[in-house]
Amino acid sequence: MNNPKVSSRKTIILREAARLFREKGYSGTNLRELAKSSGIQGGSIYHHFSSKQEILYQIMEYTMTILISKIGELIGSEPEPFEQLRKAIRFHIEYHTSNVNETYVTDAELRSLTPDNYKKIVVLRNKYEHIYIQIIKDGIRAEKMKIDDVKLVSKALLQMLTGVSYWFDPNGSLRINEIANKYIKLFFWGIAGKDNQNHEEAS
Amino acid sequence: MNNPKVSSRKTIILREAARLFREKGYSGTNLRELAKSSGIQGGSIYHHFSSKQEILYQIMEYTMTILISKIGELIGSEPEPFEQLRKAIRFHIEYHTSNVNETYVTDAELRSLTPDNYKKIVVLRNKYEHIYIQIIKDGIRAEKMKIDDVKLVSKALLQMLTGVSYWFDPNGSLRINEIANKYIKLFFWGIAGKDNQNHEEAS
DNA sequence: GTCTATAACTAGATAGAC
DNA sequence: GTCTATCTAGTTATAGAC
């Protein structure tokens, strides 16, 4: 996980843990099973991690750090907010579908963190979410986007995008790139299309 | 739960179970604690339910059944697809925010069901999702909506809407009715607004 | 319908050998 | 770095009294 070129035991444990935590939940996963699928015995886990909690925390901390750093690079090299948002959407879907186990756990197991770990991860989550908020704010300022509630719209967007990893099937007919295009189109223009622009109000 | 007027012990257990399953997960919740917060001792749970699994199943079965029956009534009395969708969106958000614990559990604890129970709940989920798919298909046929991938769009919609119950704060400044309006507007017209309709493609 | 007591088992974590 | 053995505690579920 720290060095993707070497599949050290630690890396294997983290990868298997993410898989099991997603399949059975954090509480539903036991360390003997995790050890077995990592190729070692139960007790050996504790050579690499001090507790089950630490494994969960490291998965989340790593995932959020990568997400933040990659999205940062991505939008740093692109000045136009519309194009920034397109790239951000594409990236979020790609990363979440390519790392389903880790991102699912990071998303769904916040409740299983100790209070201290919880605080740290929430800080990172807010940081990531704030990047999307900022892009949209810039889009409004540039008069490219029309939104009256930036926070709500960012949340709606991220939940919709994260949802892709819940149903995405790598063996299905849709490529990730096509899916991203469809989401971009939906989020930008909605379902009503130009012809129905007269129903602007939502009573 | 079966008769909302009487808060029988069974009803109380189901309500408390939904709350605890959401807070700590199904595996993370123990029956002594559930019993305690329901006002009885651990062993007494088994007078009302045969197992922990049965409690989970009943929460989900009840929630899905109500969702399907209510949305059925709602769109049955409205012929126009645009208006049907507005009502459906409003209903989904309202029900999910008013019954956060039950809907969250129904959404997130599918993995904790036994294979037999899993199959039954998935049938109900598909039934509910199919109602949204049908509305959108009708909307396309009536040339009110422009969508090339109905399944994807329905999933995007439902994930976005369900997400409201994850951040909704009853003491916050936004009323559910206002939130529903914002989501309807977003889903119908997108964020780009009329003026930018020329960027139709999403490269 | 609820209680107490307990059976049967499983879990996270530790210790010390190799 | 991994093993085996084990401690300690907690878990679902059952049994029988009230």
Side-chain angles (χ1 to χ4, degrees):
Chain A
M1 212 144 182
N2 294 315
N3 182 346
K5 287 190 183 172
V6 185
S7 242
S8 67
R9 187 73 66 185
K10 203 179 167 182
T11 311
I12 295 170
I13 296 170
L14 286 168
R15 195 185 57 225
E16 291 301 307
R19 186 177 63 77
L20 289 167
F21 290 169
R22 176 163 82 109
E23 272 173 28
K24 317 176 138 215
Y26 174 75
S27 297
T29 301
N30 75 70
L31 295 185
R32 282 174 186 82
E33 192 185 356
L34 170 58
K36 198 182 169 190
S37 71
S38 305
I40 48 175
Q41 292 296 316
S44 307
I45 297 257
Y46 290 88
H47 176 75
H48 304 279
F49 301 94
S50 67
S51 65
K52 188 181 174 183
Q53 171 71 204
E54 203 205 321
I55 299 176
L56 178 65
Y57 177 72
Q58 285 200 19
I59 293 170
M60 293 187 168
E61 207 267 346
Y62 177 82
T63 300
M64 288 313 308
T65 305
I66 294 284
L67 278 172
I68 291 166
S69 112
K70 289 205 174 182
I71 190 104
E73 291 172 33
L74 209 66
I75 65 159
S77 59
E78 172 59 56
E80 204 275 312
F82 235 122
E83 203 49 49
Q84 280 184 336
L85 190 54
R86 264 195 254 267
K87 285 189 173 171
I89 290 174
R90 207 176 292 285
F91 164 72
H92 188 96
I93 292 179
E94 263 165 23
Y95 193 85
H96 278 67
T97 47
S98 314
N99 303 272
V100 214
N101 297 329
E102 288 77 6
T103 51
Y104 181 89
V105 168
T106 304
D107 217 55
E109 289 291 359
L110 267 177
R111 64 186 173 195
S112 301
L113 291 169
T114 57
D116 275 6
N117 286 342
Y118 178 86
K119 278 176 210 154
K120 292 182 208 156
I121 298 298
V122 166
V123 168
L124 296 177
R125 282 174 64 99
N126 290 342
K127 207 168 167 182
Y128 183 70
E129 198 183 324
H130 194 75
I131 295 169
Y132 285 80
I133 293 178
Q134 195 52 52
I135 296 176
I136 295 178
K137 280 187 179 168
D138 291 344
I140 297 171
R141 199 168 297 118
E143 295 187 345
K144 295 271 187 176
M145 305 175 197
K146 288 189 168 179
I147 295 154
D148 56 350
D149 194 327
V150 179
K151 265 195 166 180
L152 176 143
V153 166
S154 318
K155 283 194 189 293
L157 173 64
L158 286 173
Q159 269 148 352
M160 183 169 93
L161 298 183
T162 301
V164 175
S165 64
Y166 298 174
W167 57 261
F168 176 67
D169 172 14
N171 302 316
S173 62
L174 284 175
R175 299 300 87 203
I176 292 183
N177 190 47
E178 298 170 297
I179 294 173
N181 284 341
K182 289 173 194 285
Y183 271 80
I184 289 169
K185 195 175 167 190
L186 175 63
F187 187 65
F188 281 22
W189 317 113
I191 63 155
K194 283 191 244 191
D195 305 347
N196 297 296
Q197 284 289 346
N198 44 317
H199 308 74
E200 184 87 32
E201 99 314 338
S203 79
Chain B
M1 211 143 181
N2 295 313
N3 182 346
K5 287 190 182 171
V6 185
S7 243
S8 67
R9 187 73 66 184
K10 203 180 167 183
T11 312
I12 295 169
I13 296 170
L14 286 168
R15 195 184 56 225
E16 292 300 308
R19 184 176 63 77
L20 289 167
F21 289 168
R22 176 162 81 108
E23 273 173 28
K24 316 174 140 217
Y26 174 75
S27 297
T29 301
N30 74 71
L31 295 184
R32 282 179 189 80
E33 192 184 358
L34 170 56
K36 199 182 170 190
S37 71
S38 305
I40 50 176
Q41 292 296 316
S44 307
I45 297 257
Y46 291 88
H47 177 75
H48 303 280
F49 300 93
S50 66
S51 66
K52 188 181 174 182
Q53 171 72 204
E54 204 205 321
I55 299 176
L56 177 64
Y57 178 72
Q58 285 200 19
I59 292 170
M60 291 188 170
E61 208 266 345
Y62 178 82
T63 300
M64 287 314 307
T65 305
I66 294 283
L67 277 172
I68 291 166
S69 111
K70 289 205 175 182
I71 190 105
E73 291 172 33
L74 209 67
I75 65 159
S77 60
E78 171 60 56
E80 204 274 313
F82 234 123
E83 203 49 49
Q84 280 184 336
L85 190 54
R86 265 195 255 266
K87 285 190 173 169
I89 290 174
R90 207 175 291 285
F91 163 72
H92 188 96
I93 292 179
E94 263 165 24
Y95 193 85
H96 278 68
T97 46
S98 312
N99 303 272
V100 215
N101 297 331
E102 287 78 5
T103 52
Y104 181 88
V105 168
T106 305
D107 218 54
E109 289 291 0
L110 268 178
R111 64 186 174 196
S112 301
L113 290 169
T114 57
D116 275 7
N117 287 341
Y118 179 86
K119 280 176 208 151
K120 291 183 207 155
I121 298 299
V122 165
V123 167
L124 296 177
R125 281 174 64 99
N126 289 342
K127 207 169 166 181
Y128 183 70
E129 197 182 325
H130 193 76
I131 294 170
Y132 285 80
I133 293 178
Q134 195 52 52
I135 297 175
I136 295 178
K137 281 187 179 168
D138 291 345
I140 297 172
R141 198 168 299 120
E143 296 185 345
K144 296 273 187 173
M145 304 174 196
K146 289 189 169 180
I147 295 155
D148 56 350
D149 194 328
V150 179
K151 265 194 164 180
L152 177 143
V153 166
S154 317
K155 283 194 189 293
L157 173 64
L158 286 173
Q159 268 148 352
M160 183 170 94
L161 298 183
T162 300
V164 175
S165 64
Y166 298 176
W167 56 262
F168 176 67
D169 172 13
N171 302 317
S173 62
L174 284 175
R175 298 300 89 205
I176 291 184
N177 191 46
E178 297 171 297
I179 294 173
N181 283 342
K182 288 174 195 285
Y183 272 79
I184 289 168
K185 195 175 168 191
L186 175 64
F187 187 66
F188 281 23
W189 317 113
I191 63 154
K194 283 191 248 192
D195 306 347
N196 296 298
Q197 283 289 347
N198 44 318
H199 309 73
E200 185 86 31
E201 98 313 341
S203 78

